[in-house]
Amino acid sequence: MGSRTAIPREELSHPGPTMTVTEEKTAAEPLPDPTSTRATAERAWPLDHPRAINDVLALLDSTWLSPKTRARPTHYDVAVSVVCNIKCPFCPRQTFGDEVVSGLMKEEHYNPIVPHLEVSQRTGLYGLGEPFLNKRFFPFLRAAKERGTYCMTSSHGMTLNKAMIGRVIESELDELCISIDGATPRTFAYLRSGADFHTVVRNVSELLRRRNEAGKRAPRVHIACAVSKYNVWQMKAMVRLTHEMGADKLAFSNLVLDHKEHAHASVAGTRIFRFNLRRAMREADRLGLECVYFYQKPFPWREEQAPPPRGGVRYGCPSAWRQLIVERDGNLKPCCYLDTSLGNSAERPMEEQFNSGAAVDLRRSFTEGNYLEACKGCGQFTQIDGERTREILDEASERIREGNFSGPVREKLRAELEEFERLAASASV
């Protein structure tokens, strides 16, 4: 692990009385509605465009009525790099040590997914490391953009020298996330060990200055801050820092702690956290800065209670139905919290793996109410009722009716809609 810089007493906090999980999720920015693809629906797609067809099928899948998906994944997170040159103390690279196998993604594991990015609404080129350390990053990005997908990546900010900034601005990257977990050099040095606060702030500010001078709006830059007891009192200052750098958005989340011995670092569900979140949000409103908070399961090892059965209510997960994680070695997963392997991008055609036995079994655990332990208490563990199901099916019907589809394609989509109408009727009995 990296060296630990002492944190001033005033920068520490002590957890207060906890909120319930329900209160915590209420305080959070809601996860994107998996069915809210209205913006793409209003786009003038060419006749029978694969993305337009897939969006309708993904809308039907979002009812969580069937464990078998009709659509290809709409969201990809691709681990282009599992190599990093800083040592954040709570990162799995440090807490799991040798269990994390470092390396960079190669073409043999990336190329098989590229054809399917034509229907992806969002593609993240990430990994448990620094993406810009992979020399293949920009060719990978170009291949994805040629398929028309929205592309995102992340960085610790130390790789953003003048040359890299130029490449980023000239690329077609849509969004860049910079992790900054402290508003002071000392806190930053502890939580982002190996990175330099002033260098990162200067690099981000320079990137945004050059982007704006070029008259461009992309990449959209947002700052990510994982909140713990070490920086909870700096949340308001993080808003100001983000605004001073000129970034487009600040996203808070709670720190995810993989081991019980690190539980002391969490402030998830405490009054102190809620107090500082409200202060930060008010400051963001004053400065006109977009600021959100999204809930992550803080203690993956803690056993959670399953929600009690409720008439007319089903539980599901957008990741299980619509997301695909592609690890550095091509291993396919639905979620970073699960070890479940759905296959490998280099071993079989991708079409055969979207509904592999493991993928269907995972979704069936939701449709049958036999939830996996890792899913309980997760921020994406969400519910849907009969009213929302009806809204989704009505929207799908409208899309099919008004979309730019040929007769045969429209009829196939109507047949799928009719099948989901039958499933919905059975679920309401």
Side-chain angles (χ1 to χ4, degrees), residues 1-8 12 87-91 93-96 185-194 228-230 255 257 259 261-265:
M1 294 177 62
S3 60
R4 298 194 176 205
T5 306
I7 304 297
L12 292 172
K87 294 184 177 181
C88 304
F90 299 108
C91 173
R93 296 186 60 82
Q94 318 314 321
T95 61
F96 284 102
R186 187 175 292 183
T187 301
F188 182 92
Y190 173 67
L191 294 172
R192 310 292 297 171
S193 180
S228 65
K229 74 176 185 179
Y230 301 104
L255 188 64
L257 298 159
H259 300 286
E261 58 265 32
H262 295 150
H264 64 88

Side-chain angles (χ1 to χ4, degrees), residues 79-84 101-107 109 130-136 140 328-329:
V80 297
S81 174
V82 190
V83 172
C84 196
V101 180
S102 296
L104 302 171
M105 177 171 274
K106 298 179 180 179
E107 290 89 347
H109 296 117
E130 171 65 19
F132 293 133
L133 293 178
N134 191 338
K135 294 181 180 179
R136 304 176 183 87
F140 285 172
R328 176 190 65 81
D329 59 359

Side-chain angles (χ1 to χ4, degrees), residues 102 124 126 133 145 243 251 271 304 312 418:
S102 296
Y126 299 120
L133 293 178
K145 290 304 299 179
H243 183 259
R271 289 182 178 175
E304 303 278 359
E418 290 172 2

Side-chain angles (χ1 to χ4, degrees), residues 72-89:
R72 288 182 279 173
T74 60
H75 294 72
Y76 287 80
D77 285 328
V78 186
V80 297
S81 174
V82 190
V83 172
C84 196
N85 51 4
I86 70 171
K87 294 184 177 181
C88 304

Side-chain angles (χ1 to χ4, degrees), residues 156-158 178 180 188 195-204:
H156 53 46
M158 292 296 291
I178 308 290
I180 300 180
F188 182 92
D196 179 74
F197 176 79
H198 296 294
T199 299
V200 171
V201 170
R202 182 174 62 250
N203 290 348
V204 174

Side-chain angles (χ1 to χ4, degrees), residues 90-384:
F90 299 108
C91 173
R93 296 186 60 82
Q94 318 314 321
T95 61
F96 284 102
D98 294 339
E99 293 181 42
V100 177
V101 180
S102 296
L104 302 171
M105 177 171 274
K106 298 179 180 179
E107 290 89 347
E108 64 192 78
H109 296 117
Y110 183 77
N111 290 342
I113 73 169
V114 172
H116 300 281
L117 300 183
E118 66 179 358
V119 301
S120 174
Q121 297 172 8
R122 188 221 67 200
T123 301
L125 303 178
Y126 299 120
L128 199 59
E130 171 65 19
F132 293 133
L133 293 178
N134 191 338
K135 294 181 180 179
R136 304 176 183 87
F137 176 83
F138 287 101
F140 285 172
L141 172 63
R142 184 166 56 251
K145 290 304 299 179
E146 287 173 352
R147 297 288 173 165
T149 179
Y150 185 95
C151 287
M152 308 171 63
T153 194
S154 61
S155 175
H156 53 46
M158 292 296 291
T159 54
L160 293 174
N161 55 36
K162 290 184 178 181
M164 182 63 72
I165 287 174
R167 296 191 72 182
V168 168
I169 292 174
E170 292 304 315
S171 75
E172 296 184 67
L173 182 66
D174 295 288
E175 188 165 347
L176 174 60
C177 168
I178 308 290
S179 296
I180 300 180
D181 294 333
T184 65
R186 187 175 292 183
T187 301
F188 182 92
Y190 173 67
L191 294 172
R192 310 292 297 171
S193 180
D196 179 74
F197 176 79
H198 296 294
T199 299
V200 171
V201 170
R202 182 174 62 250
N203 290 348
V204 174
S205 300
E206 177 69 6
L207 167 63
L208 288 158
R209 183 188 67 79
R210 289 174 59 180
R211 181 201 69 179
N212 295 341
E213 285 183 352
K216 295 190 175 185
R217 301 179 64 182
R220 176 175 161 83
V221 176
H222 82 258
I223 306 303
C225 179
V227 180
S228 65
K229 74 176 185 179
Y230 301 104
N231 61 6
V232 66
W233 288 104
Q234 296 183 9
M235 293 176 72
K236 182 177 179 179
M238 279 299 306
V239 172
R240 293 173 180 167
L241 177 63
T242 301
H243 183 259
E244 289 168 2
M245 289 188 293
D248 302 291
K249 176 181 176 180
L250 172 61
F252 290 115
S253 65
N254 46 276
L255 188 64
V256 177
L257 298 159
D258 297 300
H259 300 286
K260 292 181 180 180
E261 58 265 32
H262 295 150
H264 64 88
S266 179
V267 290
T270 67
R271 289 182 178 175
I272 285 176
F273 169 75
R274 186 160 52 179
F275 170 77
N276 282 285
L277 176 63
R278 287 172 176 165
R279 282 207 315 166
M281 291 295 189
R282 286 196 296 268
E283 183 70 1
D285 285 343
R286 186 183 73 81
L287 295 173
L289 175 70
E290 181 181 358
C291 183
V292 299
Y293 162 65
F294 65 94
Y295 175 84
Q296 297 188 97
K297 188 175 181 179
F299 310 116
W301 40 267
R302 177 180 291 176
E303 183 174 345
E304 303 278 359
Q305 293 296 315
R310 293 176 55 195
V313 172
R314 299 184 307 284
Y315 292 89
C317 170
S319 293
W321 267 264
R322 299 187 59 180
Q323 176 175 280
L324 191 65
I325 293 176
V326 187
E327 296 189 309
R328 176 190 65 81
D329 59 359
N331 184 48
L332 306 176
K333 296 174 59 176
C335 169
C336 58
Y337 286 104
L338 298 176
D339 291 328
T340 303
S341 175
L342 309 183
N344 190 286
S345 63
E347 292 177 359
R348 288 189 297 151
M350 293 289 289
E351 294 88 340
E352 298 178 10
Q353 304 188 66
F354 299 142
N355 280 304
S356 65
V360 172
D361 286 345
L362 172 62
R363 299 180 201 119
R364 187 174 286 121
S365 72
F366 286 98
T367 60
E368 296 182 354
N370 299 316
Y371 313 117
L372 300 183
E373 192 60 47
C375 298
K376 301 173 187 176
C378 177
Q380 294 212 55
F381 190 94
T382 49
Q383 70 179 35
I384 186 171

